[in-house]
Amino acid sequence: MHSFALSRADDTAQAIAVHANDAQLAFIAGGTDLLGLMKDRATLPERLLDINGLPDLARIEALPDGSLRIGALARMSDVAANIDVRRRFPVIAESLLFAASGQLRNMASIGGNIMQRTRCAYFRDDDGPACNKRRPGSGCSARHGLNRNHAIFGWSDACVATHPSDLAVALAALDANVVVRGLAKVRSIPFTDFHRLPGSTPERDNTLDRGDLIVAIDVPTRVEGRGSHYLKIRDRESYEFALVSVAAAVATDRRHLRSVRLAMGGVAHKPWRLAAAETALRGVSLDDIDALRSAIAESFIDARPLDHNGFKVELAQRVALRALQTAGERT
């Protein structure tokens, strides 16, 4: 295990300043992903700053306008169990319950969950396979290697890995915002802009810089919120990452889809919105299965499966259909 120094923070501004000026320091909250990365030697910070003592970052606030503010230090299990989350946005609670084991959910923070790094075996392997995330410029072993679990959208020759967070898929579907405090100001980042596609710099998973600290997730009022569902397909029923997953949120009028929000996990380097399908689905009856399938297929015209994951194209469309139908039954 890599040796490191540990200190604790009790002042948010001071913690941000320390992080901004120390490239070898990392924030730690639950540590459920970070410590694994350190054991895999995928990241080796010299200093860890425990931020669990920072004030007011673990709150879960149901606001009068129907929106939610979820503190970055709130634990996954607490958010999943919160009655307002379950009533207003069941897709959030379901995505959290599908994620990890009960023990991990009790430890893992919301901010840490959306900051997770890929589960690509080449990235996690310390035996030296080429990986541009681990060693920029070394190549991508998964591109023509074992890529069954990898991307079918948005990948580049530099990286074909997928983002692992279930919660992130739900938040992308709901147009949530990541509230980030930096040295100079607080800014709100649309969730669909928070994570990055790999391009030529896959070592950068998101838009954060040194001195940036996630303080909350804002989930706006959504007419589709109550009619929402998260569906995850994985290789085993217990703790496992998604082959494909779908967050669906809908509003209906006499069983016709008035508005639709669909995001997928397990298919790209970031949560993937099915924008073309969302448009094509408006006005379609939940009882017209052929029309639903045809509309969903609009978002798969640009799918680019790899050598071992062509099955994901059909599987993802089936999962999207099932999630959409379940969400529709909740309206």
Side-chain angles (χ1 to χ4, degrees):
M1 182 66 184
H2 172 66
S3 297
F4 59 88
L6 176 66
S7 57
R8 291 179 173 83
D10 56 16
D11 180 85
T12 303
Q14 184 178 9
I16 289 169
V18 170
H19 186 267
N21 291 296
D22 187 348
Q24 295 302 315
L25 179 138
F27 293 133
I28 185 169
T32 55
D33 191 46
L34 177 59
L35 293 179
L37 289 167
M38 292 171 67
K39 290 177 181 178
D40 293 333
R41 305 189 72 78
T43 187
L44 297 171
E46 297 294 329
R47 288 166 288 282
L48 298 182
L49 182 60
D50 183 343
I51 59 173
N52 286 295
L54 295 183
D56 301 325
L57 297 191
R59 292 181 178 177
I60 306 168
E61 299 177 82
L63 302 177
D65 64 356
S67 64
L68 290 173
R69 169 162 281 208
I70 304 171
L73 292 179
R75 268 26 189 188
M76 291 171 61
S77 56
D78 292 332
V79 178
N82 183 276
I83 191 62
D84 291 303
V85 174
R86 295 168 69 90
R87 286 175 177 168
R88 297 183 184 189
F89 301 100
V91 67
I92 293 177
E94 290 171 347
S95 71
L96 290 166
L97 291 173
F98 267 122
S101 64
Q103 295 92 330
L104 287 173
R105 291 196 299 269
N106 287 339
M107 286 293 297
S109 69
I110 294 298
N113 181 278
I114 66 170
M115 289 281 288
Q116 284 181 87
R117 305 204 68 191
T118 180
R119 305 306 301 189
C120 175
Y122 297 106
F123 171 62
R124 298 277 173 165
D125 190 342
D126 189 33
D127 289 337
C131 174
N132 288 318
K133 277 184 172 293
R134 186 185 275 264
R135 288 178 296 278
S138 65
C140 175
S141 293
R143 174 65 181 87
H144 297 290
L146 298 176
N147 50 41
R148 175 177 178 268
N149 295 335
H150 289 62
I152 60 173
F153 293 113
W155 55 265
S156 70
D157 285 333
C159 184
V160 297
T162 58
H163 186 71
S165 169
D166 295 296
L167 172 64
V169 181
L171 295 175
L174 296 169
D175 284 332
N177 293 286
V178 184
V179 183
V180 176
R181 180 171 172 181
L183 281 172
K185 61 181 180 179
V186 176
R187 65 190 192 276
S188 183
I189 304 172
F191 204 88
T192 49
D193 295 336
F194 179 75
H195 297 99
R196 301 176 69 255
L197 291 177
S200 60
T201 55
E203 69 276 12
R204 292 198 63 198
D205 295 307
N206 54 62
T207 59
L208 296 185
D209 294 316
R210 299 300 305 179
D212 281 341
L213 175 67
I214 300 172
V215 295
I217 304 293
D218 282 343
V219 186
T221 305
R222 293 248 68 96
V223 66
E224 307 91 348
R226 293 179 186 271
S228 62
H229 178 57
Y230 185 75
L231 181 58
K232 177 178 180 179
I233 303 300
R234 45 194 171 174
D235 283 328
R236 59 182 182 179
E237 278 298 309
S238 61
Y239 174 25
E240 184 58 277
F241 295 92
L243 282 174
V244 298
S245 66
V246 176
V250 306
T252 61
D253 183 7
R254 297 181 182 180
R255 294 196 57 79
H256 285 75
L257 293 165
R258 182 155 49 94
S259 59
V260 180
R261 296 176 177 277
L262 289 171
M264 296 207 72
V267 297
H269 199 257
K270 61 185 290 184
W272 194 257
R273 280 290 288 267
L274 303 186
E278 291 176 353
T279 299
L281 284 162
R282 291 174 192 156
V284 175
S285 170
L286 285 164
D287 299 314
D288 190 342
I289 303 303
D290 289 339
L292 294 174
R293 286 176 176 154
S294 178
I296 291 168
E298 292 288 323
S299 279
F300 288 82
I301 295 172
D302 297 328
R304 295 186 297 149
L306 300 163
D307 294 338
H308 302 136
N309 70 0
F311 71 93
K312 282 192 177 187
V313 177
E314 175 66 21
L315 177 62
Q317 292 178 73
R318 292 185 180 188
V319 176
L321 174 61
R322 178 63 64 84
L324 186 67
Q325 290 173 311
T326 303
E329 294 301 325
R330 293 178 172 176
T331 59

